[in-house]
Amino acid sequence: MQKTTTAIVLRSTNFGEKDKILYLFSLEDGVISAKLKGVRGAGAKMKIFSLPFCLAEWELVKGTKSNDFYTVKGANLIDAFYDISSDIDRYCVACIMVDILKNCTYYSDEVNSVIYVALLKSLKLINYTKVNAKLVLCKYLLEVLKANGYGIQVDKCAKCGIRLSNKAYLNFDDGSVKCSTCRDGNSVELEMGVLACIKNVTEMDFDNLEHTKIDTTILDKTLLILKKDVELRMQFNINFAQIV
Ligand SMILES: [Zn+2]
């Protein structure tokens, strides 16, 4: 059985003496595991194809048994996003984003295609521009929430409908945002800066992030809140140890 597919490397693990198993994500097939032979040997030509974020057109083959792995027969590089790895902060942000897509693949396919597109836009920005990588992560987390039906509504109180201008509270039990009178459950205050940050970044396209300046403290606070919201809504953990 043979197939050609465009996919990105989510991660890879060592296999046998010189091989690696790649976990690829493609729009058509979701996650595919594929063996890349001999890639850990000295001077292996296909090393770049085993690195995270490597986007390529893959030629895959597998035997007829249902539990056979695909094996990589060939690959045409589309983009290795190679510069991301030269900056530890950017690299960490990109790893977090790839991990989130990997975790989301247990859910619906249509949702994942939206997240996949957001991931590619994010990686391009982080690799080719001087954008604040954390701001891209902020946008990405908001897109992940929205794609899964948990978009954060910061215009009006979810209960009484009053316009939220200064103080608002995010309820971690259901992801709703309410005013100070209606706040309930396990909720956290969204201070004015955080509220504005969520609102602005939600409305902004990826292309505008490059020229957007944002207060570092506010951005960190926003990221921590979004992280917790994604974790609770999606039921998986995100490791922020390296970045906030
Ligand atoms: Zn209210």
Side-chain angles (χ1 to χ4, degrees):
M1 212 160 100
Q2 188 157 352
K3 74 152 71 209
T4 305
T5 189
T6 300
I8 190 165
V9 177
L10 298 177
R11 69 186 178 101
S12 64
T13 55
N14 292 343
F15 186 83
E17 291 214 344
K18 289 186 172 171
D19 306 342
K20 271 184 182 266
I21 303 293
L22 309 181
Y23 296 88
L24 305 171
F25 182 88
S26 86
L27 270 183
E28 310 85 54
D29 304 288
V31 177
I32 313 169
S33 317
K35 193 193 291 180
L36 185 53
K37 284 186 174 164
V39 69
R40 282 152 62 215
K45 276 186 191 149
M46 293 192 74
K47 198 157 221 153
I48 197 163
F49 292 97
S50 69
L51 301 176
F53 333 125
C54 179
L55 179 67
E57 191 179 69
W58 306 84
E59 265 176 69
L60 307 173
V61 286
K62 80 169 173 182
T64 47
K65 279 184 253 157
S66 62
N67 58 352
D68 275 351
F69 271 120
Y70 277 106
T71 298
V72 176
K73 274 288 161 223
N76 287 315
L77 186 67
I78 297 172
D79 201 330
F81 300 111
Y82 204 70
D83 288 344
I84 293 177
S85 307
S86 61
D87 179 303
I88 185 73
D89 293 332
R90 286 172 179 260
Y91 179 77
C92 288
V93 164
C95 287
I96 290 168
M97 295 195 294
V98 165
D99 261 357
I100 291 174
L101 174 61
K102 180 160 63 71
N103 281 307
C104 285
T105 54
Y106 299 110
Y107 301 90
S108 113
D109 285 349
E110 303 116 77
V111 169
N112 292 329
S113 60
V114 175
I115 300 174
Y116 175 67
V117 170
L119 175 70
L120 293 185
K121 285 181 186 173
S122 299
L123 294 179
K124 270 185 195 143
L125 278 174
I126 295 177
N127 192 72
Y128 292 111
T129 75
K130 291 185 166 26
V131 71
N132 179 343
K134 283 184 181 179
L135 187 61
V136 179
L137 178 59
C138 182
K139 175 72 177 167
Y140 183 76
L141 292 174
L142 286 165
E143 290 286 306
V144 167
L145 285 168
K146 192 170 82 181
N148 285 286
Y150 301 118
I152 302 183
Q153 299 297 327
V154 289
D155 284 344
K156 294 182 206 162
C157 168
K159 193 168 177 197
C160 72
I162 195 177
R163 215 183 129 75
L164 299 168
S165 48
N166 45 23
K167 266 191 190 174
Y169 295 83
L170 175 66
N171 183 330
F172 280 131
D173 298 330
D174 60 8
S176 66
V177 180
K178 300 193 179 95
C179 70
S180 50
T181 316
C182 301
R183 66 176 291 198
D184 55 5
N186 171 23
S187 60
V188 64
E189 185 187 334
L190 301 176
E191 59 180 86
M192 210 152 68
V194 172
L195 195 66
C197 177
I198 293 175
K199 190 170 157 44
N200 293 340
V201 177
T202 300
E203 287 168 0
M204 206 177 278
D205 288 332
F206 275 92
D207 293 340
N208 295 114
L209 297 174
E210 189 189 344
H211 305 291
T212 302
K213 296 266 180 290
I214 193 145
D215 178 86
T216 316
T217 317
I218 293 289
L219 185 54
D220 283 355
K221 280 183 186 173
T222 307
L223 281 175
L224 287 172
I225 288 171
L226 294 179
K227 166 189 189 282
K228 190 165 173 188
D229 198 30
V230 171
E231 287 180 329
L232 289 169
R233 303 281 77 75
M234 309 293 299
Q235 300 288 308
F236 54 75
N237 290 321
I238 303 170
N239 183 1
F240 261 19
Q242 306 284 340
I243 65 149
V244 176

